[in-house]
Amino acid sequence: MLAAMKSRRSDPDPPHASPTPPASEDSDIALGAVLDFMRALWAVDHGLQTASKRMEQTLGVTGPQRLVVRIVGRQPGISAGHLAEIMHVHPSTLTGILGRLEKGGFIQRRSDPGDRRRALFTLTARGRALDKARAETVEARVRRALVRLPDDRVGATREVLTTLVEELAKPR
Amino acid sequence: MLAAMKSRRSDPDPPHASPTPPASEDSDIALGAVLDFMRALWAVDHGLQTASKRMEQTLGVTGPQRLVVRIVGRQPGISAGHLAEIMHVHPSTLTGILGRLEKGGFIQRRSDPGDRRRALFTLTARGRALDKARAETVEARVRRALVRLPDDRVGATREVLTTLVEELAKPR
DNA sequence: CCCATGTCAGTATCACTGAAATAA
DNA sequence: CTTATTTCAGTGGTACTGACATGG
C-alpha cells in the first residue's frame, strides 16, 4: 500500500485525518506522514514474505534461507553463532533455518575441530548452484527495482534502513 | 510528505558513509551492493516482526492487528474483503487477525443488512483507545528513528520502498 | 445453477522464551 | 564451577491453498 497504489486509491484520508492525538513526542510532526511511512514498511514486509514464499515454490528455499546460503558462500566455514549475529536473529531461530537447509541438501554441517561446541557450515554442490542462481529470486526482484533508481537514493535508503533497525532493536 | 520531520541530528555520518556499502558494522562480509541491501531489507523485516511481538506484550496487539485498528478507525463499517484488499493480504489471513481482535475486544463485528454475506467492523471503546495510543508502538520507534535523519534521505527512502513494493508485487 | 463473501482446516516458516546438553 | 555455543520444547502470529457454507 502506500504510494504504490496512489494511482487508484480506494480510500484513505477521509475528511478527518488523524485527530492529532496526544503524541508523546514531536507533537507537531504530521502523524499522517509517519503512518504513511509505516504502511510503506509493512507493505515491504509483506512483499518480502510473499516473494519469499514464491521462491520457495520455484527454488525450494525461502528468503532467509537463501540469505544464509549467500553468506555461507562468501564465508565458508562460518559458525552458527556468527551467522545469527550477522542476520540479527536469535540463535534458536537459526537452528530451524539451518536444519531445513541441511535437510534440503544445500549446506553441510561440521564440527569445529578447535572448539567442538561450534557448528561450522559450508555449501554442498546444490548449495553452490543455489548461491549462483539469480533468476526467480527475491534478490532478482530487488535488483530490478534498484536499477531503476539513482545510486544516491539507494545509498540513502540503506542508511535509513540501518537507523531504523537500530531503533527497532533497542531494548525497552 | 515526511519533510515535516525536523532534521536535527547529532551524528553527521559515521565513519562509514556508504558509496557502495562495504557491509559496515558487524563483521565485514562485503557481500556486494545488492546482497548487502538485501541484508538490510531482511533486517528491517525482522525488526518489524520483533517490535510487533514486543508490542503484543505491552498493548495486546501485533503490528498488523494495530494497522487494522487504525484503518477501521478511519473507515468505520469497512468490510472484511475491503480490508484485505487495502492490506494486500489473503482473506483467510484476515480471518485470523479479525478473530483475535474481536476476541480481544478491540473491534465489533456486524452483518451488512443489505448483503448478509458481508461482515462489517467498527471499533469498540477499547479499540478506539488503541487507535489513539502512541506510546510503546512500533510506530513510536519508527518515529524516533526518522527524526534522527535528514528529510531528503527519508523522502528518498519512501520512494525506493515504493518502487520495491511494486517490483515485489509483480505477478510473473 | 453460478458467482461472491468469508470462514475453516491443514501446513509451513519465522520468532521468541526458557531450559537443557555439551564443551571449553 | 562458570561460561559459551547450540539445540530442543513449547507457543503464537502470519500467510498460503483448497474446500466449504451461505447468501445474492
Side-chain angles (χ1 to χ4, degrees), chain B residues 68 72 77-87 89-95 98 109-110 117-121:
Chain B
V68 166
V72 173
I78 192 173
S79 72
H82 192 184
L83 219 30
E85 194 181 325
I86 287 178
M87 296 179 64
V89 297
H90 194 277
S92 68
T93 298
L94 212 53
T95 296
L98 291 173
R109 170 193 307 266
R110 118 182 92 100
R117 289 172 305 182
R118 283 194 160 88
L120 307 184
F121 298 88

Coordinates of all heavy atoms in Angstrom, one line a residue, chain B residues 68 72 77-87 89-95 98 109-110 117-121, chain C residues 5-7:
Chain B
V68 N -4.9 -2.8 11.3 CA -6.3 -3.0 11.1 C -7.1 -2.0 12.0 O -8.1 -1.4 11.5 CB -6.8 -4.4 11.4 CG1 -8.3 -4.5 11.5 CG2 -6.2 -5.4 10.4
V72 N -9.7 0.7 10.5 CA -11.1 0.6 10.9 C -11.5 1.9 11.6 O -12.6 2.4 11.4 CB -11.4 -0.6 11.8 CG1 -12.9 -0.5 12.3 CG2 -11.2 -1.9 11.1
G77 N -17.1 0.6 9.7 CA -18.1 -0.1 8.9 C -17.5 -0.7 7.7 O -18.2 -1.2 6.8
I78 N -16.2 -0.8 7.6 CA -15.5 -1.4 6.5 C -15.7 -2.9 6.5 O -15.8 -3.5 7.5 CB -14.0 -1.0 6.5 CG1 -13.3 -1.4 5.2 CG2 -13.3 -1.7 7.7 CD1 -11.8 -0.9 5.2
S79 N -15.7 -3.5 5.3 CA -15.9 -4.9 5.2 C -14.6 -5.7 5.3 O -13.5 -5.1 5.0 CB -16.6 -5.3 3.9 OG -15.8 -5.1 2.8
A80 N -14.7 -7.0 5.6 CA -13.5 -7.8 5.7 C -12.8 -7.8 4.3 O -11.6 -7.7 4.3 CB -13.9 -9.2 6.1
G81 N -13.5 -7.9 3.3 CA -12.9 -8.0 1.9 C -12.2 -6.7 1.6 O -11.1 -6.8 1.0
H82 N -12.8 -5.6 1.9 CA -12.2 -4.3 1.6 C -10.9 -4.2 2.4 O -9.8 -3.7 1.9 CB -13.1 -3.2 1.9 CG -12.7 -1.9 1.3 ND1 -13.4 -0.7 1.5 CD2 -11.6 -1.5 0.5 CE1 -12.7 0.3 1.0 NE2 -11.7 -0.2 0.3
L83 N -10.9 -4.6 3.6 CA -9.8 -4.6 4.5 C -8.6 -5.4 3.9 O -7.5 -5.0 3.9 CB -10.2 -5.1 5.8 CG -9.7 -4.5 7.1 CD1 -9.4 -3.0 7.0 CD2 -10.7 -4.7 8.2
A84 N -9.0 -6.6 3.4 CA -8.0 -7.5 2.9 C -7.3 -6.9 1.6 O -6.1 -7.0 1.4 CB -8.6 -8.8 2.5
E85 N -8.2 -6.2 0.9 CA -7.7 -5.5 -0.3 C -6.7 -4.4 0.0 O -5.6 -4.3 -0.6 CB -8.9 -5.0 -1.1 CG -8.6 -4.6 -2.5 CD -9.8 -4.0 -3.2 OE1 -11.0 -4.5 -2.8 OE2 -9.7 -3.1 -4.0
I86 N -7.1 -3.6 0.9 CA -6.2 -2.5 1.4 C -4.9 -3.0 1.9 O -3.8 -2.4 1.7 CB -6.9 -1.6 2.4 CG1 -8.0 -0.8 1.8 CG2 -5.9 -0.7 3.1 CD1 -8.8 0.0 2.8
M87 N -4.9 -4.0 2.7 CA -3.7 -4.5 3.3 C -3.0 -5.5 2.4 O -1.9 -6.0 2.8 CB -4.1 -5.2 4.7 CG -4.6 -4.1 5.6 SD -5.0 -4.9 7.2 CE -3.4 -5.4 7.8
V89 N -3.6 -8.6 1.8 CA -3.4 -9.9 2.4 C -4.6 -10.8 1.9 O -5.6 -10.3 1.5 CB -3.4 -9.9 3.9 CG1 -2.3 -9.1 4.5 CG2 -4.7 -9.4 4.5
H90 N -4.4 -12.1 2.0 CA -5.4 -13.0 1.6 C -6.6 -13.0 2.6 O -6.3 -12.8 3.8 CB -4.8 -14.4 1.6 CG -5.7 -15.4 0.9 ND1 -6.7 -16.1 1.5 CD2 -5.6 -15.9 -0.4 CE1 -7.3 -16.9 0.6 NE2 -6.6 -16.8 -0.5
P91 N -7.8 -13.1 2.1 CA -8.9 -13.0 3.0 C -8.8 -14.0 4.2 O -9.2 -13.7 5.3 CB -10.1 -13.4 2.1 CG -9.7 -12.9 0.8 CD -8.2 -13.1 0.7
S92 N -8.3 -15.1 3.9 CA -8.2 -16.1 5.0 C -7.2 -15.7 6.1 O -7.3 -16.1 7.2 CB -7.8 -17.5 4.4 OG -6.5 -17.5 3.9
T93 N -6.2 -14.9 5.7 CA -5.3 -14.4 6.7 C -6.0 -13.4 7.6 O -5.8 -13.4 8.8 CB -4.1 -13.7 6.0 OG1 -3.4 -14.6 5.2 CG2 -3.1 -13.1 7.0
L94 N -6.8 -12.6 7.0 CA -7.6 -11.6 7.7 C -8.5 -12.2 8.7 O -8.8 -11.7 9.8 CB -8.3 -10.7 6.8 CG -8.5 -9.2 7.3 CD1 -7.1 -8.7 7.7 CD2 -9.1 -8.4 6.2
T95 N -9.1 -13.4 8.4 CA -10.0 -14.1 9.3 C -9.4 -14.3 10.6 O -10.0 -14.0 11.7 CB -10.4 -15.4 8.7 OG1 -11.1 -15.3 7.5 CG2 -11.2 -16.2 9.6
L98 N -8.8 -10.7 12.4 CA -10.0 -10.2 12.9 C -10.5 -11.0 14.0 O -11.1 -10.4 15.0 CB -11.1 -10.2 11.7 CG -10.8 -9.2 10.6 CD1 -11.8 -9.4 9.4 CD2 -10.8 -7.8 11.1
R109 N -18.0 -7.0 15.3 CA -18.5 -7.5 14.0 C -20.0 -7.3 13.9 O -20.7 -7.5 14.9 CB -18.1 -8.9 13.9 CG -18.7 -9.7 12.7 CD -18.5 -11.2 12.9 NE -17.1 -11.5 13.2 CZ -16.2 -11.8 12.2 NH1 -16.6 -11.9 11.0 NH2 -15.0 -12.1 12.5
R110 N -20.4 -7.0 12.7 CA -21.8 -7.0 12.5 C -22.1 -7.4 11.0 O -21.2 -7.3 10.2 CB -22.4 -5.6 12.8 CG -23.0 -4.8 11.7 CD -23.4 -3.4 12.2 NE -22.3 -2.4 12.0 CZ -22.3 -1.6 10.9 NH1 -23.3 -1.6 10.1 NH2 -21.3 -0.7 10.7
R117 N -23.8 -11.6 3.4 CA -22.6 -12.4 3.3 C -21.5 -11.6 4.0 O -20.5 -12.1 4.5 CB -22.2 -12.6 1.9 CG -23.1 -13.6 1.1 CD -22.7 -13.6 -0.3 NE -22.8 -12.2 -0.9 CZ -22.6 -12.0 -2.2 NH1 -22.2 -12.9 -3.0 NH2 -22.7 -10.7 -2.6
R118 N -21.6 -10.3 3.9 CA -20.6 -9.3 4.3 C -20.5 -9.2 5.9 O -21.5 -9.1 6.5 CB -20.8 -8.0 3.7 CG -20.4 -7.9 2.3 CD -20.3 -6.4 1.9 NE -19.5 -6.2 0.7 CZ -19.9 -6.3 -0.5 NH1 -21.2 -6.6 -0.7 NH2 -19.1 -6.2 -1.6
A119 N -19.3 -9.1 6.3 CA -19.0 -8.8 7.7 C -18.5 -7.4 7.8 O -17.5 -7.1 7.2 CB -18.1 -9.8 8.3
L120 N -19.1 -6.5 8.6 CA -18.6 -5.2 8.8 C -18.1 -4.9 10.2 O -18.5 -5.6 11.1 CB -19.8 -4.2 8.5 CG -20.6 -4.4 7.2 CD1 -21.6 -3.3 7.1 CD2 -19.6 -4.4 6.0
F121 N -17.1 -4.1 10.2 CA -16.4 -3.9 11.5 C -16.3 -2.4 12.0 O -16.2 -1.5 11.2 CB -15.0 -4.5 11.4 CG -15.0 -5.9 11.1 CD1 -15.0 -6.4 9.8 CD2 -15.0 -6.8 12.2 CE1 -15.0 -7.8 9.6 CE2 -15.0 -8.2 11.9 CZ -15.0 -8.7 10.6
Chain C
dT5 P -17.3 -10.0 -3.5 OP1 -17.6 -8.6 -3.3 OP2 -16.0 -10.5 -4.0 O5' -17.6 -10.8 -2.1 C5' -18.8 -10.5 -1.4 C4' -18.7 -11.3 -0.1 O4' -18.9 -12.7 -0.3 C3' -17.4 -11.1 0.7 O3' -17.8 -10.5 2.0 C2' -16.8 -12.5 0.8 C1' -18.0 -13.4 0.6 N1 -17.7 -14.7 0.0 C2 -18.3 -15.8 0.6 O2 -18.9 -15.8 1.6 N3 -18.0 -17.0 0.0 C4 -17.2 -17.2 -1.2 O4 -17.1 -18.3 -1.7 C5 -16.7 -16.0 -1.8 C7 -15.9 -16.0 -3.0 C6 -17.0 -14.8 -1.2
dG6 P -16.6 -10.0 3.0 OP1 -17.2 -9.0 3.8 OP2 -15.4 -9.6 2.1 O5' -16.2 -11.2 3.8 C5' -17.3 -11.8 4.6 C4' -16.9 -13.2 5.0 O4' -16.8 -14.0 3.9 C3' -15.6 -13.3 5.8 O3' -15.9 -13.5 7.2 C2' -14.9 -14.6 5.2 C1' -16.0 -15.2 4.2 N9 -15.4 -15.8 3.0 C8 -14.8 -15.2 2.0 N7 -14.4 -16.0 1.0 C5 -14.9 -17.2 1.4 C6 -14.9 -18.5 0.8 O6 -14.4 -18.8 -0.3 N1 -15.5 -19.4 1.6 C2 -16.1 -19.2 2.8 N2 -16.7 -20.3 3.4 N3 -16.2 -18.0 3.4 C4 -15.6 -17.1 2.6
dT7 P -14.8 -13.9 8.2 OP1 -15.2 -13.3 9.5 OP2 -13.5 -13.5 7.7 O5' -14.8 -15.4 8.4 C5' -16.1 -16.1 8.6 C4' -15.9 -17.6 8.5 O4' -15.6 -18.0 7.2 C3' -14.8 -18.1 9.5 O3' -15.4 -19.2 10.2 C2' -13.8 -18.6 8.5 C1' -14.6 -18.9 7.3 N1 -13.8 -18.9 6.0 C2 -13.7 -20.0 5.2 O2 -14.2 -21.0 5.5 N3 -13.0 -19.8 4.0 C4 -12.4 -18.6 3.6 O4 -11.8 -18.6 2.5 C5 -12.5 -17.5 4.5 C7 -11.9 -16.2 4.1 C6 -13.2 -17.7 5.6

